Amino acid sequence: MCTAADGPPHAVADPVELEALLDEPLPEDGSDLTGLLDHLAQDVLPLGIRFDHPRCFAFVPTTGNYPAVLADLLSTAHLSVPGAWLVGSGPTRVELTALNWLKELLGLPGHWGGLFVSGGSVANLTALAAARDHHLGGDLTGARLYCSTQAHPSIARAVHLLGLGRDQLIALDPDAGQRLDPRGLAARIDADLAAGLRPFAVVATVGTTSTGAVDPVTDLARLCRRYGLWLHVDGAHGAAFALSDRGHALRDALGRADSLTFDPHKWLFQPYETGCVLVRDPELLRATFRMSRHHLDTGYLHPAEARHDEVNLDDLGPQQSRGLRALKVWLSLKTFGAAAFRRAVDHGLHLSDHAAARITAHPDLDLASSPGLGILTFRCRPPGSPADPPAVDRLQQSVSDAVRATGQALLLTTRVHGRTVLRMCTINPATTTADIDAVLELVVRTGREAEQKPR
Ligand SMILES: Cc1ncc(COP(=O)(O)O)c(C=O)c1O
């Protein structure tokens, strides 16, 4: 059997070559399906990042898992739609059960509710739409929403889609640990209130994409309560930390928020698109998204209205026809059991601790940010390398490019306090400490080679 580890973690094609391969006239007549599947599997789909490769440390990798792949196949074959109860009562019940399991895994109270969405971006949009409607009604004048500059860009995109201007999102500089500082935030909110503006929401990130930093959710929840603001936690990557023993305190903190983004297609090892939004008061999702709240009523949906204790999940989010994403989570949790997922999250934490210890001990490597939720950043500083910041920054980029060119590993760069650093996200359960050691040695070797090249 061919596994991800047999090939390189990354393959990219030249756009012109790929156009020549794939830009064909509309096929008026059909062709042999087996041949087409071979063509896709050999020539097309491998072009990209192998996120399940044990030496892929880029972005937030996922592994997928076999039961989840079968779940996708099954729900697609059955055209399952957990939209209205009438349309898909079985699929809806599966989704409600999977949501209950996610709440239990994250330590959220039972009365929270929500739904599966495509991923973190749509989860953030969905939660912030409810926050906007609940706090602002239809009047967006002077509204202000706060996050740190380390929040995911999907927050800014959500703000735009929700009809708020750029100046209505206040992105504050983080503290030295890249966290949103509650004192700085309170000062800014006070100033905005004094200026007659209307603060309505704060976004805390649990596991920033760049460094895995965790905003102080409990303090921010207290602050939001004091000012009467909505607290949204973007835990797309990091909420999974709550599964581990080390993350136990996070379970209590998450429950203090008003809404939470969680992406099982990140640290819960699911295939794309498996995102999830959960809110303290699901009625607030219904208030925003319920189809009957909106003005067009052609009558055709009346037969599908929920009766008694039936649930129409399409009333809680932006999609009407929606796939049964939840089945991936349901079938993989049933197949492997929650304990396997907890162990897998712990393994990722162990790997990033191991990497940090190796980096700290190596004379050529400097830790730039300590391992936060399976993500760490560092610099390569070979002996005799220049100290001026632009040259150090360029070296990190060269090392990342050179490592990628070997086809043995993929680690990309990010910026920490304005400086370029190498970044690793170590959450793949198939990655071993030997993989980490080998990749760090490769970084050291390519760093020394890059340094010996004439400048
Ligand atoms: C913290 C955070 N929020 C949101 C997102 C966006 O998630 P998605 O790519 O699933 O839309 C990401 C993606 O990496 C993320 O790390």
Side-chain angles (χ1 to χ4, degrees):
M1 193 178 70
C2 175
T3 68
D6 296 332
H10 183 228
V12 65
D14 174 77
V16 176
E17 278 174 27
L18 211 48
E19 188 178 341
L21 181 73
L22 286 170
D23 190 21
E24 305 171 71
L26 170 72
E28 205 60 54
D29 299 310
S31 21
D32 170 54
L33 177 61
T34 319
L36 293 172
L37 294 177
D38 284 345
H39 168 53
L40 289 172
Q42 282 161 26
D43 308 326
V44 183
L45 298 182
L47 293 171
I49 296 181
R50 270 312 295 247
F51 279 110
D52 53 345
H53 193 290
R55 294 188 184 182
C56 171
F57 301 102
F59 303 114
V60 181
T62 186
T63 57
N65 64 78
Y66 289 119
V69 172
L70 294 177
D72 251 352
L73 200 67
L74 205 61
S75 62
T76 303
H78 279 266
L79 303 171
S80 303
V81 178
W85 189 263
L86 174 84
V87 175
S89 50
T92 300
R93 190 55 252 179
V94 165
E95 181 153 344
L96 293 171
T97 299
L99 288 166
N100 285 342
W101 291 346
L102 289 187
K103 284 188 285 180
E104 193 173 335
L105 283 170
L106 300 174
L108 292 173
H111 64 268
W112 279 53
L115 78 173
F116 281 83
V117 292
S118 55
S121 303
V122 172
N124 285 334
L125 175 66
T126 305
L128 293 177
R132 177 200 59 184
D133 289 355
H134 182 58
H135 279 270
L136 303 175
D139 179 12
L140 308 187
T141 325
R144 290 290 182 275
L145 180 149
Y146 305 83
C147 62
S148 96
T149 56
Q150 300 304 300
H152 191 268
S154 59
I155 298 297
R157 189 162 52 185
V159 162
H160 172 65
L161 291 174
L162 293 173
L164 294 154
R166 257 176 181 232
D167 57 333
Q168 295 184 279
L169 174 65
I170 308 299
L172 296 165
D173 284 335
D175 66 12
Q178 304 284 77
R179 295 171 299 244
L180 181 57
D181 169 20
R183 269 185 303 179
L185 174 61
R188 179 60 194 248
I189 292 172
D190 285 337
D192 286 350
L193 286 170
L197 299 171
R198 299 165 66 211
F200 76 99
V202 171
V203 176
T205 308
V206 168
T208 60
T209 327
S210 193
T211 64
V214 181
D215 290 339
V217 176
T218 304
D219 292 347
L220 292 169
R222 221 172 276 132
L223 179 150
C224 284
R225 206 168 318 118
R226 192 163 82 237
Y227 287 98
L229 310 181
W230 181 291
L231 177 62
H232 174 64
V233 172
D234 180 356
H237 162 62
F241 183 55
L243 270 72
S244 95
D245 283 345
R246 288 199 232 177
H248 219 262
L250 182 61
R251 298 163 67 83
D252 177 58
L254 293 179
R256 294 166 189 257
D258 293 291
S259 53
L260 171 70
T261 286
F262 175 47
D263 265 356
H265 70 205
K266 292 188 167 67
W267 213 354
L268 214 60
F269 319 106
Q270 300 298 323
Y272 302 106
E273 304 179 355
T274 323
C276 179
V277 57
L278 289 160
V279 298
R280 168 192 295 278
D281 180 358
E283 284 310 311
L284 298 182
L285 284 181
R286 211 182 305 276
T288 290
F289 291 105
R290 196 181 69 245
M291 203 68 100
S292 58
R293 167 207 160 153
H294 300 285
H295 300 301
L296 295 174
D297 176 6
T298 60
Y300 91 101
L301 286 175
H302 288 207
E305 271 168 19
R307 270 162 272 233
H308 313 297
D309 48 1
E310 296 174 356
V311 179
N312 283 359
L313 283 171
D314 61 2
D315 275 340
L316 300 187
Q319 276 182 279
Q320 185 181 13
S321 305
R322 44 196 303 277
L324 184 53
R325 300 176 174 106
L327 194 61
K328 293 176 269 196
V329 170
W330 188 93
L331 198 56
S332 51
L333 275 167
K334 286 288 279 183
T335 306
F336 298 117
F341 285 86
R342 292 202 175 89
R343 280 195 302 274
V345 170
D346 277 334
H347 181 71
L349 294 168
H350 168 65
L351 289 177
S352 59
D353 287 348
H354 176 83
R358 286 295 159 122
I359 289 165
T360 307
H362 201 293
D364 286 20
L365 303 174
D366 280 346
L367 200 60
S369 62
S370 47
L373 308 199
I375 297 175
L376 72 161
T377 65
F378 64 105
R379 284 188 194 84
C380 181
R381 306 286 300 271
S385 60
D388 69 305
V392 177
D393 287 356
R394 278 195 300 277
L395 178 63
Q396 309 317 307
Q397 193 56 56
S398 312
V399 169
S400 169
D401 295 346
V403 167
R404 172 148 56 123
T406 67
Q408 292 175 45
L410 186 67
L411 68 170
L412 301 178
T413 57
T414 186
R415 283 197 312 276
V416 172
H417 300 302
R419 302 288 311 279
T420 306
V421 290
L422 295 161
R423 174 184 176 282
M424 286 175 97
C425 181
T426 64
I427 60 174
N428 185 334
T431 303
T432 61
T433 51
D435 287 314
I436 300 280
D437 295 348
V439 169
L440 291 177
E441 275 312 312
L442 182 61
V443 165
V444 167
R445 211 162 51 243
T446 49
R448 290 186 177 186
E449 283 163 11
E451 210 28 59
Q452 277 157 15
K453 284 195 187 135
R455 280 184 219 118

